[in-house]
Amino acid sequence: MDLWQHQYEQLLFLQDRSVGLKAIIAIHNTKLGPALGGCRMRHYASDEEAVADAVRLAQGMTYKSAVSGLPYGGGKAVILSMPGQSPREQIFWALGRHIQTLQGRYITGIDLGTAVTDMDWVRLETPYVTDTTGSLGAAGDFTARMTAYGVFLGIRASLKRVYGSDSIQNKAVAVQGLGKVGYQLCRYLKRAGARLIVADMDPLRVKKAADDFGASPRRPQDILAEPCDVFSPCALGGILNDFTLGRLGCRIVAGAANNQLAEVRHGEELHRSGILYAPDYVINAGGIIVTSVELLGGDAALARQHVEKINDTLTHVFRIADAEGISPSAAADRLAEVILKN
């Protein structure tokens, strides 16, 4: 892996042998403001995989902030989950000490595999952390609801682009992944009259969605090929790749997962195949919008107002794509890059 092929301002490799901390912080761009992005903790097959994840996620956060009009750049922290690590509090105390040395260039928060209590431990070592107890990010499921709400609005904008109407009534939506965001998205979709098809690695989550929303369950390996109006990936990234693109049975891809495209070229391939792709960092920006509004002194009502702008942002991206004859993924990247240059 050639580390120099990636565009980023700073890449830090952190290690504290006394507690077993092994982590990476990627700061992609701080032109618009401090790098903002959560900390995820998961098992990686290799250090290279962890670096690639951190760098791609950090770039996504830069673009997400830019197209959403937020005064922040993009960053990401990943903690490599390993056997023999110390208790979690020691891991996150150590991470907090490292973040403090950056003096505000990077602000962390919750992501995959981390929780409010983890951020509380980070807070003991540095003020450059969000999603701690008492914050909007820690207020029940508010961040998940706002992320799901933004995706819901993005689905409506996508339906309008394909069918001429943003009505979700009787539209078939296949939701892959029923974590906090995926489950909340199902709630919004059901209320709007969608026919839900769901899959998750956890059969209990699938059963709950079936019981609560009348969703039709599918096996995880079958959900991509399900004939539907919208395929909504809400699990891990890289789901749109050489193996899966030819299996899709949808007209639209619009979901909450980060980095859905395994490679940039897969956005072009979707476009050529006639499937509308709603760029993930445009429609899943609800979480970072909540964090940004709170950091700037706003409340939940103001955060919701800002999330509602996702519909207009995505519509603008589609218009750029149409006007320039390019894919929506290329249009979103171009919009972000223009903002970053100005």
Side-chain angles (χ1 to χ4, degrees), residues 29-36 61-66 69-74 107 288 291-296 340:
N29 188 299
T30 57
K31 181 174 182 179
L32 299 179
L36 183 61
M61 297 305 291
T62 295
Y63 283 18
K64 190 179 297 190
S65 288
L70 307 179
Y72 292 98
I107 303 170
I288 196 172
T291 298
S292 175
V293 167
E294 182 169 35
L295 287 172
L296 297 171
L340 290 167

Side-chain angles (χ1 to χ4, degrees), residues 1-339:
M1 176 183 178
D2 181 4
L3 294 179
W4 298 103
Q5 70 178 322
H6 296 286
Q7 299 296 316
Y8 51 80
E9 291 182 2
Q10 196 170 4
L11 187 62
L12 299 99
F13 295 83
L14 314 178
Q15 186 168 245
D16 187 329
R17 292 184 182 277
S18 67
V19 298
L21 172 69
K22 190 175 182 181
I24 297 159
I25 295 177
I27 297 176
H28 176 259
N29 188 299
T30 57
K31 181 174 182 179
L32 299 179
L36 183 61
C39 172
R40 61 176 46 189
M41 185 176 188
R42 56 171 291 218
H43 172 75
Y44 289 93
S46 67
D47 292 351
E48 288 188 348
E49 183 186 33
V51 171
D53 199 29
V55 170
R56 270 202 88 192
L57 288 165
Q59 178 176 325
M61 297 305 291
T62 295
Y63 283 18
K64 190 179 297 190
S65 288
V67 300
S68 300
L70 307 179
Y72 292 98
K76 210 73 175 183
V78 299
I79 298 175
L80 285 72
S81 179
M82 301 178 297
Q85 285 177 313
S86 296
R88 286 180 76 97
E89 59 266 33
Q90 295 183 30
I91 296 292
F92 286 95
W93 289 338
L95 178 67
R97 289 193 291 272
H98 284 289
I99 291 173
Q100 177 62 20
T101 67
L102 295 172
Q103 290 297 300
R105 275 178 55 76
Y106 169 64
I107 303 170
T108 197
I110 292 174
D111 202 307
L112 179 73
T114 59
V116 172
T117 52
D118 299 325
M119 298 306 109
D120 287 343
W121 290 323
V122 172
R123 173 73 77 182
L124 294 175
E125 302 292 340
T126 182
Y128 303 116
V129 58
T130 64
D131 303 328
T132 54
T133 298
S135 68
L136 282 179
D141 57 1
F142 183 71
T143 298
R145 283 192 289 112
M146 288 300 97
T147 303
Y149 184 47
V151 174
F152 171 76
L153 295 174
I155 288 174
R156 288 180 53 180
S158 301
L159 289 169
K160 181 70 178 287
R161 172 68 176 74
V162 171
Y163 296 113
S165 169
D166 67 359
S167 174
I168 296 177
Q169 186 71 36
N170 292 323
K171 291 294 189 292
V173 183
V175 179
Q176 179 198 48
L178 297 170
K180 289 182 180 180
V181 175
Y183 181 82
Q184 292 294 339
L185 176 60
C186 286
R187 187 184 300 279
Y188 283 114
L189 291 167
K190 179 63 177 179
R191 288 174 179 170
R195 294 187 290 111
L196 289 171
I197 304 143
V198 298
D200 192 277
M201 297 300 292
D202 184 345
L204 293 179
R205 292 179 178 177
V206 174
K207 183 179 185 305
K208 181 173 176 56
D211 292 343
D212 292 350
F213 308 122
S216 299
R218 295 291 186 273
R219 297 185 304 171
Q221 62 267 37
D222 295 335
I223 190 77
L224 285 98
E226 184 68 27
C228 60
D229 297 289
V230 182
F231 170 57
S232 187
C234 296
L236 290 175
I239 190 63
L240 303 172
N241 54 54
D242 290 337
F243 176 71
T244 61
L245 287 186
R247 300 178 58 208
L248 291 172
C250 60
R251 294 287 307 279
I252 296 165
V253 176
N258 286 314
N259 293 340
Q260 293 168 28
L261 301 174
E263 298 180 35
V264 171
R265 64 183 175 85
H266 293 125
E268 304 307 311
E269 292 178 22
L270 276 173
H271 183 58
R272 286 194 294 270
S273 70
I275 296 175
L276 181 69
Y277 174 60
D280 48 33
Y281 62 78
V282 178
I283 72 169
N284 71 7
I288 196 172
I289 290 172
V290 169
T291 298
S292 175
V293 167
E294 182 169 35
L295 287 172
L296 297 171
D299 59 10
L302 182 60
R304 183 182 177 90
Q305 290 176 20
H306 278 268
V307 170
E308 288 173 347
K309 296 177 183 178
I310 287 175
N311 178 86
D312 294 338
T313 303
L314 183 57
T315 299
H316 182 48
V317 167
F318 289 153
R319 286 173 180 160
I320 293 173
D322 289 342
E324 301 188 16
I326 58 178
S327 68
S329 54
D333 287 353
R334 188 169 299 182
L335 175 61
E337 289 158 6
V338 166
I339 293 169

